[in-house]
Structure formats: structure tokens, C-alpha cells
């Protein structure tokens, strides 16, 4: 049985105030062609279908068209909600759509009922787990001690009572410890949302969403497919793709990727103003791409952004790398956030703003404030 694994469509997303809707329509049409050419038996969408819990009407229409075309091809679709989605809104009409082979994860209330598929190798069960927080699972299992995301997901999996003699697939939307993140993802400071890959041991393949870079975590069959489009310049060097998973006999899983070609790529350009405006500098490249320009001139260029957009109409970001910017003190960003505690980051911020460290009383207050915020978020 052959599955197309997708996630993090983020339909309706804006990047640096540029709407990505046209690009998303283009890439979804390409994905439909891949599904048809591959003769896929099913498509899994592992969360973050939309970029907002209440998506714009045009975004809903784009997704509706995508689902309808898959249904017309008679390709079953399995959809879960991510942390950007409203589980209630996404699951609306789910029972009606089941008749067309479109399966949505319901709002989690303590049970996950698998969908059973059959092929020449026998039964295959698909479990749909929407994005869950510890508080969500505690509400369903008040007798369980659940203090972390890992506790919550482990409890959910244990109550699924997965039959290990059968082939089992899980679609989930969580951050698995060890995965590499990008700038376009929501960062949970201090790694409080971490879930260990061992939690998913009952499953032959885990179709993950949430992380925007394609990668496996722990084992080859616990996999993020990544976004079909680049949503930040930290992804500029990546090749986006769809993941194709072939499930044969129990334990026999083949995974491969098929590259996707976007309507507009996302690229970085670096040089002096004279260099980046010379025809020879950009000749042979697509000037319609989404561009980040880093100018190395020591002096800022007046109206530089507007001037450069004459050549690069989709210039998203203009930065400078010179003596002035290198000497500026900046607060460390997402990479540091993964290595330092919330309190350490706040202490650094305080010292940068006030040119002196926090005293003991201030540290105690900040520690208690951070603890209460984390508890509320869980």
C-alpha cells in the first residue's frame, strides 16, 4: 500500500507580508499530479493545514478544491489538525466526508479509533492523532499523572491498544526530541513540548507534522516530511519534496522522496549595492523569486528596498552586513533558545536592556512568573 505523506501546508500564510496563496495553489496542483502518477493508495496530511485557527475564506476554498480533486481520483485522505488549526473547525462535517474517503481526526476526547484498510498483505490500521497538549490528555484521563507533553502523548498511545501483529500507521503533530527546527516554526522556549521517539514504538510508520525540514528522528520510519514550500530564509538551501511510503508485509517499509518545484523559489543574495544591481549578477536567475538581499556597503542605501524591487519585485527582506551591524549587540534567537532555559534567556535580555544583571529578588520573581506561564500553556 502506497501513501503520500504531507504536512504543514499552512494555507493562507503570509511571509514578510507577501501572500503565499498563489504559490500554495501551484504546489498543491503539483502534489495532485504526483499522487496520480504514483497511483497512491492514500494521502496523509499531518496537521497545520491552515496557518490560522480561523482561516480566510479563500484559504478554505483552496483546501476544499484540493480535497475534492483527491476524492474524485478516489484516493482516500487522512487529515489531522495541527497546533495552527482549530480542531473543531477542521473536523466539521467529518462524518459526511467519510463516505467520500476523506477522514478527519475528531477533537481528542480520550479515544483514537483507527481506520482499517486492506491490501494483498492483509489489514493495515491508520491512527489519527491531532495535536494534543498535556492539559487535553489530563482532561480525558484524570487518574493519570501527566505533567509533560511526553507524558500526554505516551498516555494517548498506551490507550490506543495497538495490535502489534498488524501493520499500523500513526499520523501525529508533535515535536519529537532531536528534530532540527527552522525559523518559520513556532518555537517553544526551553523545549517543554519535546516528545521522545520511543513513545511511537508500536507503529510501523509515524507520519509527523510540525517541523518544516524533511528528516527522520530516532529511526527511519519516524519521519517529518517537511513543508511543501519554503516559509523562511533559513530554508533557502533546502529542496522541498513529498514523502512516498510503501507498506508491504509487516516490517517491510520503503521510503523515498519526490522533489517539488515551486512557482517561485526562496533565495539569498549577498554583495554590495553595485554588485546586486549589475545585470551580470542576476542574469540567468529568476528575478521573480522571493529574495533576501544582504548588502555589504558600509553606508545604508537611501530607499534601498524600493530601488532593489525594480529588479527583484518579490524582494522580501533587505539586510546589511557591515561594521555597524556587526558591532551591534543582538539578542540570540531561536538556536540559542533550544540550548538555554527560559530564565537564562530572560536574564540576558534584562542585562542587555539595563546594562546590569538581575538581583536575587528579581531572579526569584522571574522564575516564578515563567513557571506559572508554562503551567498555563500546558
Amino acid at each position: 500500500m502506497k501513501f503520500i505523506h504531507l504536512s504543514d501546508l499552512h494555507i493562507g500564510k503570509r511571509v514578510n507580508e507577501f501572500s503565499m496563496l498563489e504559490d500554495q495553489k501551484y504546489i498543491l496542483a503539483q502534489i495532485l499530479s504526483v499522487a496520480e502518477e504514483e497511483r497512491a493508495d492514500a494521502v496523509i496530511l499531518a496537521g497545520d493545514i491552515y496557518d490560522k485557527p480561523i482561516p480566510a475564506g479563500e484559504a478554505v476554498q483552496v483546501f476544499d478544491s484540493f480535497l475534492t480533486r483527491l476524492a474524485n481520483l478516489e484516493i482516500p485522505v487522512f487529515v489531522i489538525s495541527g497546533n495552527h488549526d482549530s480542531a473543531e473547525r477542521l473536523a466539521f462535517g467529518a462524518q459526511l466526508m467519510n463516505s467520500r474517503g476523506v477522514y478527519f481526526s475528531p477533537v481528542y476526547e480520550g479515544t483514537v479509533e483507527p481506520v482499517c484498510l486492506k491490501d494483498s498483505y492483509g489489514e493495515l490500521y491508520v491512527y489519527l492523532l491531532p495535536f494534543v497538549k498535556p492539559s487535553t490528555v489530563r482532561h480525558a484521563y484524570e487518574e493519570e499523572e501527566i505533567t509533560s507533553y511526553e507524558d500526554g502523548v505516551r498516555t494517548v498511545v498506551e490507550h490506543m491498544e495497538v495490535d502489534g501483529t498488524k501493520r499500523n500507521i500513526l499520523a501525529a503533530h508533535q515535536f519529537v526530541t532531536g528534530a532540527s527546527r527552522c525559523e518559520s516554526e513556532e518555537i517553544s522556549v526551553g523545549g517543554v513540548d519535546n516528545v521522545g521517539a520511543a513513545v511511537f514504538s508500536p507503529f510501523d510508520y509515524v507520519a509527523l507534522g510540525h517541523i518544516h525540514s524533511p528528516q527522520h528522528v530516532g529511526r527511519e520510519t519516524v519521519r517529518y516530511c517537511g513543508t511543501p514550500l519554503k516559509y523562511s530564509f533559513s530554508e533557502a538551501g533546502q529542496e522541498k519534496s513529498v514523502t512516498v511510503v510503501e507498506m508491504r508485509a509487516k516490517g517491510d517499509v520503503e521510503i523515498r522522496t519526490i522533489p517539488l518545484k515551486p512557482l517561485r523559489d526562496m533565495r539569498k543574495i549577498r554583495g554590495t549595492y553595485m554588485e546586486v544591481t549589475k545585470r551580470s549578477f542576476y542574469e540567468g536567475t529568476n528575478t521573480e523569486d522571493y529574495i533576501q538581499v544582504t548588502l555589504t556597503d558600509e553606508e545604508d542605501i537611501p530607499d534601498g528596498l524600493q530601488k532593489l524591487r525594480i529588479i527583484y519585485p518579490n524582494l522580501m527582506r533587505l539586510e546589511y552586513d557591515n561594521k555597524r551591524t556587526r558591532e551591534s549587540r543582538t539578542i540570540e534567537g531561536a538556536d540559542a533558545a533550544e540550548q538555554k532555559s527560559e530564565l537564562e534567556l530572560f536574564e540576558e535580555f534584562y542585562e542587555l536592556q539595563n546594562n546590569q544583571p538581575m538581583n536575587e529578588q528579581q531572579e526569584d520573581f522571574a522564575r516564578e512568573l515563567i513557571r506559572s506561564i508554562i503551567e498555563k500553556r500546558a
Side-chain angles (χ1 to χ4, degrees):
M1 191 166 291
K2 187 185 293 185
F3 290 82
I4 302 291
H5 173 193
L6 303 170
S7 77
D8 297 88
L9 304 181
H10 288 278
I11 301 173
K13 187 175 182 65
R14 300 182 70 86
V15 179
N16 293 297
E17 299 309 313
F18 282 72
S19 170
M20 303 298 290
L21 208 56
E22 185 182 5
D23 304 79
Q24 291 167 335
K25 291 177 184 178
Y26 181 89
I27 211 70
L28 288 174
Q30 195 173 140
I31 290 168
L32 283 164
S33 297
V34 170
E36 194 169 10
E37 290 167 8
E38 287 287 320
R39 297 183 179 180
D41 295 299
V43 171
I44 295 176
L45 287 163
D48 280 358
I49 307 304
Y50 299 113
D51 194 54
K52 296 180 179 179
I54 305 177
E58 194 172 5
V60 175
Q61 290 172 3
V62 169
F63 187 51
D64 177 69
S65 175
F66 180 63
L67 287 181
T68 300
R69 293 176 67 182
L70 283 172
N72 289 340
L73 291 170
E74 297 185 346
I75 300 175
V77 189
F78 298 91
V79 188
I80 65 170
S81 55
N83 58 301
H84 279 253
D85 301 310
S86 163
E88 292 83 0
R89 287 184 173 87
L90 199 62
F92 175 78
Q95 293 183 13
L96 287 173
M97 284 186 274
N98 283 358
S99 62
R100 291 295 305 275
V102 179
Y103 302 92
F104 282 88
S105 60
V107 176
Y108 183 76
E109 294 180 344
T111 59
V112 178
E113 294 296 332
V115 178
C116 181
L117 304 176
K118 293 183 180 180
D119 62 8
S120 58
Y121 295 99
E123 297 174 336
L124 186 151
Y125 291 89
V126 181
Y127 292 78
L128 302 178
L129 176 62
F131 175 72
V132 291
K133 295 181 177 182
S135 57
T136 308
V137 186
R138 279 199 298 267
H139 179 74
Y141 297 103
E142 295 179 356
E143 72 282 1
E144 301 276 0
E145 185 176 347
I146 300 168
T147 61
S148 67
Y149 275 76
E150 181 160 343
D151 291 341
V153 175
R154 182 188 297 109
T155 299
V156 170
V157 171
E158 287 173 351
H159 283 85
M160 287 182 186
E161 298 181 352
V162 179
D163 183 351
T165 66
K166 306 292 186 180
R167 294 171 299 162
N168 299 287
I169 290 180
L170 174 70
H173 192 92
Q174 306 288 157
F175 175 57
V176 179
T177 307
S180 300
R181 288 178 151 167
C182 301
E183 290 177 1
S184 58
E185 299 151 10
E186 283 192 358
I187 300 298
S188 180
V189 178
V192 295
D193 57 350
N194 286 11
V195 176
V199 168
F200 303 115
S201 59
F203 299 97
D204 299 276
Y205 183 79
V206 183
L208 291 169
H210 192 38
I211 299 299
H212 292 185
S213 303
Q215 59 193 285
H216 69 271
V217 189
R219 57 183 166 98
E220 287 284 343
T221 52
V222 177
R223 189 170 187 85
Y224 290 102
C225 60
T227 54
L229 289 172
K230 300 172 185 178
Y231 288 136
S232 74
F233 286 101
S234 66
E235 302 164 62
Q238 293 182 11
E239 181 179 63
K240 296 300 185 177
S241 60
V242 296
T243 299
V244 181
V245 184
E246 292 194 52
M247 306 283 292
R248 302 189 183 94
K250 176 75 174 178
D252 185 2
V253 182
E254 179 184 322
I255 302 168
R256 54 191 171 89
T257 58
I258 297 176
L260 294 171
K261 184 174 177 58
L263 179 64
R264 304 174 186 87
D265 202 357
M266 189 171 280
R267 298 189 294 113
K268 296 180 180 180
I269 295 177
R270 178 185 175 87
T272 65
Y273 179 75
M274 292 302 296
E275 286 173 337
V276 301
T277 54
K278 284 181 181 177
R279 181 170 296 277
S280 60
F281 194 86
Y282 58 85
E283 210 162 49
T285 65
N286 184 3
T287 56
E288 296 294 319
D289 285 345
Y290 296 118
I291 302 294
Q292 172 186 298
V293 171
T294 302
L295 294 178
T296 56
D297 304 85
E298 287 300 326
E299 299 295 329
D300 288 4
I301 306 300
D303 299 320
L305 188 68
Q306 288 71 27
K307 290 176 180 177
L308 287 170
R309 277 184 175 160
I310 296 172
I311 301 171
Y312 307 104
N314 292 314
L315 173 61
M316 284 186 165
R317 184 188 297 173
L318 174 62
E319 297 181 346
Y320 285 87
D321 183 12
N322 52 33
K323 185 178 180 180
R324 172 181 59 81
T325 60
R326 285 192 293 270
E327 287 180 350
S328 296
R329 298 184 69 187
T330 58
I331 301 172
E332 296 179 3
D335 290 341
E338 294 178 20
Q339 301 171 10
K340 297 180 179 180
S341 70
E342 296 89 340
L343 182 60
E344 288 172 330
L345 290 167
F346 190 84
E347 286 174 334
E348 290 182 5
F349 175 78
Y350 181 92
E351 188 167 347
L352 283 170
Q353 293 295 311
N354 299 280
N355 294 315
Q356 63 181 4
M358 295 168 63
N359 60 39
E360 187 175 346
Q361 185 178 2
Q362 290 168 327
E363 283 185 14
D364 290 341
F365 176 81
R367 185 180 293 105
E368 180 61 25
L369 178 63
I370 290 167
R371 184 192 63 77
S372 64
I373 292 171
I374 291 174
E375 286 183 353
K376 288 180 181 178
R377 290 180 61 186

